């Protein structure tokens, strides 16, 4: 009761104090549709590691849009590991009168879900019509933690033990300190028992921090005043990698988490063999002689045959991986089920294999605060190297670890323990796109030609998708659509994609098109022809995510990202009608840098124009310092897409 009275009094004080100072804020506060006067989270941690969260927000409405935006308050929680309720919701009108909403009218319902159906829920309360000048003050109380340990789920819903975190006695939190609306004050309080230690670090910014002893034990406070929304840049890295955040954990080292992760799954028997799986493994690796052949065969079978669909499978979800019997029988699950199947298969085949945690989308820091959202596998090769494998991200892909995850942290759960690791860069040549075009143009602007496109790695996967994911009856139509994107007049004369393009493990993809395009080149009033380089005219745009990055931006404050490192290699020739010449100046460009390299040329020899481009994009995640070289290289590449003017000599 004392704690509740303290929180209510503090909120009331902040509301009156901050409201009186709101007019002194910068103009961004005055122009905002609504202002957050207070964004406060107070956490009290029990010796078991379970946390009691009091989440308090005070919001001032400053426009009709702001009123509409705040008409409903929602909050997400996972009922397997936490419980959330509205403590109070009050609206203070401009004339000083107050309206106290009945929190018993809160709606508690299944949260919208896609692909993963684990029973997540939302609480929601409707505030009704709001007016400019209204101040909303609400508090949500939450008990629990973020992840579920499988064995705890057999306990009753009203049993407090279900809120104890998997690593009993430990507490961690990841606190974003960025905001979506102007915020007068953002604060995070942590109350922990005197005997419990916590390590923390504030990243990508500065804050006021203090620690005081209290009757409860120790109280830490982190706060920032006058926060504005971060000015986002196109294709910038995740906000966790750019904006202010607080990471804290009572776990000493990542190795402690690694050892625990290994033990909890070994104790549960997640990877115990079953006869049906032993028979399947023997079938998959039959005839395979080297360890890499066996690893590749097992990884690809699991990737291609375990469907991604996350339904609730038993007592709960979280760090403990479901056992092989469940996964092999159901042939579906989320990342941990797919990775767990591969680990069990590898062990049956005689390998040492273990689960690993990773974070797809952002960086994991040195503070062991469990910033993970994805499960993968590692296998120990004969030379002792731990090799990461991700069957979830490589269905019908020639890679074993998706390079869409390069520069990504992961933590293996191995018996000897491990520190946090980082997946390396993948060379652009591992993901090449090679476009070879041989075109012939006549005096009327009609075009005939041959296009050969090939790719490896992530580029192979993107080109091959029509064969591995599409219906065979639609293959020709899908390929013809690639030409139709170049010109609606295009006619596919023939296409050669080999005997079995679905067999992605056999060799890198290669497709050869023969085509004709009437009136491809536009005719000018004086008989000149305007020719758009074929290889730059909407051809396989799905392979060119870098073209969607706005390179008119001269400077960047934050890092940025593309889908993958990549090599774009283009060689296009155009045979002109006799007596015609290109009037554009010839080109010969070359540049190199930390983010990208580029070489390109445009020349004419006799009646043949030759265009070459070699663009090397070196990373998936770039630093802001890489922007100049990336921008210059991509812009130079784009400059070769300009129309060529061809006249009769």
């Amino acid at each position: 009761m004392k704690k509740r009275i303290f929180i209510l009094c503090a909120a009331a004080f902040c509301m009156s104090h901050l409201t009186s100072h709101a007019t002194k804020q910068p103009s961004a506060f005055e122009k905002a549709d609504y202002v957050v006067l207070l964004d406060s989270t107070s956490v009290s941690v029990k010796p078991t590691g379970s946390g009691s969260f009091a989440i308090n927000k005070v919001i001032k409405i400053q426009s009709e849009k702001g009123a509409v935006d705040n008409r409903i308050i929602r909050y997400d929680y996972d009922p397997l590991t936490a419980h959330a309720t509205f403590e109070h919701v009050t609206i203070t009108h401009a004339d000083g009168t107050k309206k106290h909403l009945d929190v018993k009218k809160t709606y508690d319902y299944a949260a919208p879900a896609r692909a993963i159906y684990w029973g997540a829920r939302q609480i929601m309360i409707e505030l009704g019509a709001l007016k400019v000048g209204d101040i909303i003050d609400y508090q949500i109380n939450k008990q629990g933690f973020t992840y579920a340990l499988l064995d705890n789920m057999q306990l009753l819903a009203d049993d407090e033990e279900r809120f104890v975190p998997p690593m009993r006695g430990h507490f961690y939190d990841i606190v974003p300190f960025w905001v979506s609306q102007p915020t007068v004050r953002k604060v995070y309080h942590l109350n922990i028992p005197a005997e419990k230690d916590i390590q923390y670090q504030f990243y990508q910014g500065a804050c006021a921090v203090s620690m005081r002893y209290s009757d409860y034990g120790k109280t830490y406070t982190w706060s920032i005043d006058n926060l504005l929304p971060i000015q986002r840049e196109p294709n910038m890295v995740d906000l966790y990698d750019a904006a202010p955040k607080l990471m804290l954990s009572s776990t000493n080292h990542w190795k402690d988490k690694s050892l625990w992760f290994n033990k909890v799954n070994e104790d549960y028997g997640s990877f115990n063999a079953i006869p049906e799986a032993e028979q399947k493994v023997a079938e998959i690796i039959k005839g395979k002689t080297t360890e890499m052949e066996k690893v590749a065969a097992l990884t690809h079978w699991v990737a291609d045959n375990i469907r991604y669909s996350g339904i609730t499978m038993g007592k709960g979800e979280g760090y403990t991986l479901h056992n092989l019997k469940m996964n092999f029988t159901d042939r579906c699950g989320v990342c941990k089920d797919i990775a767990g199947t591969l680990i069990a298969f590898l062990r049956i085949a005689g390998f040492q294999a273990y689960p690993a945690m990773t974070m797809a989308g952002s960086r994991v820091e040195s503070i062991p605060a469990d910033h993970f959202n994805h499960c993968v596998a590692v296998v120990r090769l004969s030379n002792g190297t731990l090799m990461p494998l991700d069957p979830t991200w490589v269905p019908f892909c020639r890679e074993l670890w998706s390079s869409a995850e390069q520069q990504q942290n992961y933590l293996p759960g191995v018996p000897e323990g491990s520190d946090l690791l980082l997946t390396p860069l993948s060379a652009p040549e591992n993901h090449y796109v090679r476009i070879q075009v041989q075109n012939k143009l006549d005096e009327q602007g009609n075009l005939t030609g041959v296009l050969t496109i090939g790719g490896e790695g992530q580029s192979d996967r993107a080109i091959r998708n029509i064969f591995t994911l599409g219906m065979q009856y639609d293959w020709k139509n899908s390929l013809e659509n690639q030409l139709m994107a170049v010109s609606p007049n295009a006619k596919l004369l023939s296409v050669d994609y080999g005997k079995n393009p679905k067999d992605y493990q056999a060799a890198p993809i290669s497709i050869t098109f023969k085509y004709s395009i009437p009136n491809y080149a536009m005719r000018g009033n004086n008989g000149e022809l305007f020719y758009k380089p074929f290889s730059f005219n909407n051809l396989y745009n799905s392979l060119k995510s870098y073209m969607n990055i706005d390179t008119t931006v001269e400077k960047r404050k934050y890092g940025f990202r593309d889908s993958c490192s990549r090599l774009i290699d283009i060689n296009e020739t155009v045979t002109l009608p006799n007596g015609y010449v290109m009037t554009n100046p010839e080109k010969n460009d070359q540049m190199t840098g930390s983010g990208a390299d580029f070489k390109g040329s445009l020349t004419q020899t006799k009646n043949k124009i030759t265009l070459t481009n070699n663009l090397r994009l070196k990373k998936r995640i770039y630093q802001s310092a890489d922007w100049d070289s990336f921008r210059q290289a991509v812009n130079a590449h784009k400059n070769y897409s300009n129309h060529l003017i061809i006249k009769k000599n």
Side-chain angles (χ1 to χ4, degrees):
M1 179 59 71
K2 279 185 176 180
K3 177 183 168 187
R4 179 180 174 186
I5 292 172
F6 171 77
I7 291 172
L8 291 173
C9 291
F13 171 78
C14 287
M15 184 172 66
S16 61
H17 178 72
L18 295 172
T19 303
S20 67
H21 285 74
T23 56
K24 299 179 182 178
Q25 303 308 320
S27 59
F29 283 76
E30 298 170 3
K31 295 176 182 178
D33 293 310
Y34 63 94
V35 170
V36 178
L37 302 179
L38 176 66
D39 182 351
S40 170
T41 299
S42 181
V43 190
S44 294
V45 181
K46 296 180 180 179
T48 60
S50 176
S52 297
F53 295 74
I55 301 158
N56 182 215
K57 273 198 173 183
V58 183
I59 299 169
K60 183 179 181 182
I61 306 301
Q62 299 190 154
S63 74
E64 291 184 359
K65 183 179 183 304
V68 173
D69 290 345
N70 289 277
R71 187 174 62 85
I72 292 174
I73 303 170
R74 291 186 182 89
Y75 187 79
D76 294 273
Y77 74 98
D78 180 358
L80 292 174
T81 62
H83 183 64
T85 58
F86 281 99
E87 173 69 15
H88 73 262
V89 180
T90 302
I91 302 172
T92 302
H93 300 297
D95 62 4
T97 59
K98 297 188 180 222
K99 177 182 178 182
H100 299 280
L101 275 70
D102 184 359
V103 294
K104 293 180 181 179
K105 294 183 178 180
T106 299
Y107 293 94
D108 190 322
Y109 54 91
R114 181 177 179 271
I116 301 177
Y117 308 99
W118 284 357
R121 299 192 68 81
Q122 287 180 341
I123 55 173
M124 181 266 280
I125 192 166
E126 185 175 2
L127 306 187
L130 298 170
K131 296 180 180 180
V132 174
D134 284 353
I135 294 175
I136 307 162
D137 179 3
Y138 71 88
Q139 180 178 316
I140 294 170
N141 290 343
K142 185 180 80 168
Q143 172 79 17
F145 60 97
T146 305
Y147 291 97
L149 180 61
L150 202 60
D151 288 346
N152 281 348
M153 293 306 103
Q154 58 193 315
L155 300 170
L156 298 175
D158 59 353
D159 192 327
E160 191 174 311
E161 277 291 308
R162 76 185 175 102
F163 298 138
V164 176
M167 289 186 72
R168 190 181 186 92
H170 285 274
F171 176 82
Y172 77 91
D173 208 350
I174 302 162
V175 187
F177 258 80
W178 64 84
V179 297
S180 58
Q181 285 293 124
T183 299
V184 177
R185 182 168 178 79
K186 185 173 178 65
V187 60
Y188 181 88
H189 300 283
L190 177 66
N191 304 292
I192 60 173
E195 67 276 9
K196 191 178 291 294
D197 291 324
I198 200 86
Q199 59 176 321
Y200 66 87
Q201 185 167 342
F202 199 88
Y203 293 87
Q204 290 136 202
C207 72
V209 59
S210 67
M211 192 281 282
R212 297 289 186 270
Y213 292 101
S214 62
D215 293 340
Y216 192 87
K218 293 179 286 190
T219 298
Y220 292 83
T221 301
W222 295 267
S223 64
I224 301 182
D225 293 337
N226 298 334
L227 277 165
L228 293 174
I230 189 170
Q231 296 298 309
R232 303 198 65 161
E233 298 173 343
N235 296 85
M236 72 178 285
V237 294
D238 193 83
L239 284 174
Y240 279 102
D241 295 347
K245 66 181 179 184
L246 170 66
M247 312 284 284
L248 50 91
S249 175
S250 64
T251 305
N252 291 338
H253 306 288
W254 278 120
K255 185 176 181 179
D256 300 326
K257 175 63 75 175
S258 170
L259 290 166
W260 172 84
F261 187 46
N262 173 266
K263 186 176 186 303
V264 75
N265 284 291
E266 300 299 335
D267 289 350
Y268 183 70
S270 298
F271 316 117
N272 292 348
I274 58 173
E276 310 95 285
E278 290 175 329
Q279 182 179 346
K280 176 55 72 174
V281 168
E283 175 189 319
I284 295 168
I285 64 175
K286 184 178 180 179
K288 306 294 189 293
T289 56
T290 69
E291 65 177 357
M292 285 310 302
E293 285 178 331
K294 294 176 182 179
V295 168
L298 293 171
T299 301
H300 288 309
W301 188 92
V302 172
D304 296 350
N305 289 278
I306 307 295
R307 182 185 298 274
Y308 192 96
S309 180
I311 58 176
T312 299
M313 297 179 175
K315 300 173 184 176
E317 306 298 342
Y319 286 110
T320 309
L321 278 65
H322 294 125
N323 60 45
L324 177 60
K325 182 174 179 58
M326 177 182 288
N327 295 333
F328 190 70
T329 301
D330 294 344
R331 303 290 175 93
C332 75
V334 293
C335 55
K336 70 171 189 174
D337 304 304
I338 301 171
T341 304
L342 176 58
I343 294 162
F345 273 30
L346 288 165
R347 290 189 180 187
I348 291 171
F351 291 95
Q352 297 179 39
Y354 307 96
M357 297 177 283
T358 185
M359 180 67 194
S362 62
R363 185 176 65 240
V364 180
E365 307 292 1
S366 59
I367 298 290
D370 291 6
H371 194 182
F372 300 116
N373 65 0
H374 187 39
C375 184
V376 297
V378 293
V379 61
R380 198 184 304 277
L381 302 178
S382 56
N383 61 5
T385 302
L386 279 178
M387 178 181 181
L389 306 166
D390 189 357
T392 304
W393 279 36
V394 294
F396 310 110
C397 178
R398 290 173 54 78
E399 293 191 289
L400 300 179
W401 174 269
S402 170
S403 290
E405 300 174 275
Q406 60 186 294
Q407 300 164 272
Q408 187 165 298
N409 296 105
Y410 67 102
L411 182 71
V414 292
E416 69 275 20
S418 172
D419 199 358
L420 196 64
L421 302 177
L422 181 69
T423 59
L425 286 166
S426 183
E429 289 76 10
N430 295 335
H431 310 281
Y432 69 78
V433 178
R434 292 205 175 103
I435 298 174
Q436 295 183 338
V437 178
Q438 294 177 318
N439 280 339
K440 185 175 182 180
L441 195 65
D442 68 16
E443 294 186 20
Q444 285 70 45
N446 301 316
L447 191 72
T448 56
V450 179
L451 158 70
T452 299
I453 185 165
E456 177 61 295
Q458 291 295 306
S459 299
D460 175 283
R461 183 183 191 179
I463 297 171
R464 198 188 296 268
N465 272 347
I466 59 170
F467 304 114
T468 55
L469 302 180
M471 297 296 183
Q472 188 165 349
Y473 68 79
D474 198 42
W475 287 359
K476 184 177 179 181
N477 182 58
S478 296
L479 292 169
E480 192 170 29
N481 284 340
Q482 294 291 346
L483 293 178
M484 296 290 282
V486 175
S487 170
N489 297 325
K491 297 179 181 179
L492 178 60
L493 304 179
S494 67
V495 61
D496 181 4
Y497 41 69
K499 292 182 179 180
N500 185 12
K502 293 181 69 172
D503 186 5
Y504 64 92
Q505 297 182 60
I509 189 72
S510 180
I511 307 173
T512 298
F513 302 77
K514 292 183 179 179
Y515 51 87
S516 66
I517 308 178
N519 303 312
Y520 178 78
M522 295 182 294
R523 290 178 59 83
N525 294 331
N526 298 316
E528 67 269 34
L529 298 173
F530 298 91
Y531 175 85
K532 174 81 169 179
F534 186 89
S535 49
F536 284 89
N537 196 3
N538 296 318
L539 183 68
Y540 276 92
N541 280 344
S542 61
L543 304 173
K544 303 173 183 177
S545 59
Y546 60 90
M547 295 288 277
N548 298 323
I549 298 177
D550 184 1
T551 52
T552 63
V553 177
E554 294 187 1
K555 298 294 180 183
R556 278 185 176 267
K557 183 178 180 181
Y558 306 107
F560 61 101
R561 58 188 175 187
D562 195 5
S563 58
C564 184
S565 53
R566 204 167 327 161
L567 169 65
I568 309 296
D569 190 24
I570 296 173
N571 190 301
E572 178 175 346
T573 63
V574 188
T575 301
L576 304 180
N578 288 332
Y580 280 76
V581 296
M582 174 182 70
T583 62
N584 305 65
E586 294 190 343
K587 292 184 180 183
N588 193 346
D589 299 307
Q590 185 168 346
M591 59 193 68
T592 185
S594 61
D597 301 338
F598 177 74
K599 289 192 297 183
S601 65
L602 176 65
T603 58
Q604 179 174 352
T605 303
K606 296 183 178 179
N607 67 330
K608 183 178 288 188
I609 297 173
T610 301
L611 181 155
T612 67
N613 260 224
N614 186 284
L615 175 65
R616 297 181 74 251
L617 305 175
K618 298 181 179 180
K619 303 178 183 181
R620 179 180 73 94
I621 303 294
Y622 296 84
Q623 305 299 317
S624 57
D626 298 322
W627 177 241
D628 281 347
S629 68
F630 182 94
R631 175 176 178 261
Q632 290 176 21
V634 172
N635 280 341
H637 171 73
K638 289 178 179 178
N639 285 339
Y640 282 77
S641 68
N642 297 328
H643 279 82
L644 305 181
I645 303 174
I646 300 163
K647 291 184 176 181
K648 193 165 186 178
N649 195 356

